[in-house]
Amino acid sequence: NPAYQRKNGNREVFVILNMSADNVEFNIQGKEVEGQYKNVFTQSPQALMDGSRFALKAYDYLVFEK
C-alpha cells in the first residue's frame, strides 16, 4: 500500500492509498510519522505512531495533516 509524507516548513501531510481492488489491513512503520494529525475530510483528530493499524476498503484513501 503506497503511503507518503510531505513536509513544507511547519506544514505536513501524510497520505495512505489503497490502489487495489481488495480490502487491506496494515500497520504504519516508522517513527517519522508520529504525531497528532487531523483527517482533512472529516476534521477528526488522529494520533499516528509507529505501528498504528489501518483498514482501507478497495480504492480507499486517507489524508492527514499536521
Side-chain angles (χ1 to χ4, degrees), residues 17-56:
L17 306 167
N18 179 8
M19 300 173 69
S20 75
D22 300 315
N23 295 346
V24 295
E25 293 185 20
F26 57 93
N27 294 337
I28 297 298
Q29 302 296 315
K31 295 199 179 287
E32 64 276 356
V33 300
E34 290 185 345
Q36 291 294 327
Y37 290 79
K38 176 178 63 172
N39 182 310
V40 299
F41 303 113
T42 66
Q43 303 301 306
S44 299
Q46 176 74 48
L48 297 180
M49 64 184 91
D50 184 30
S52 290
R53 185 145 187 87
F54 288 92
L56 291 177

Side-chain angles (χ1 to χ4, degrees), residues 1-6 14-17 26 28:
N1 293 305
Y4 60 91
Q5 181 180 30
R6 295 289 183 262
F14 184 64
V15 179
I16 305 169
L17 306 167
F26 57 93
I28 297 298

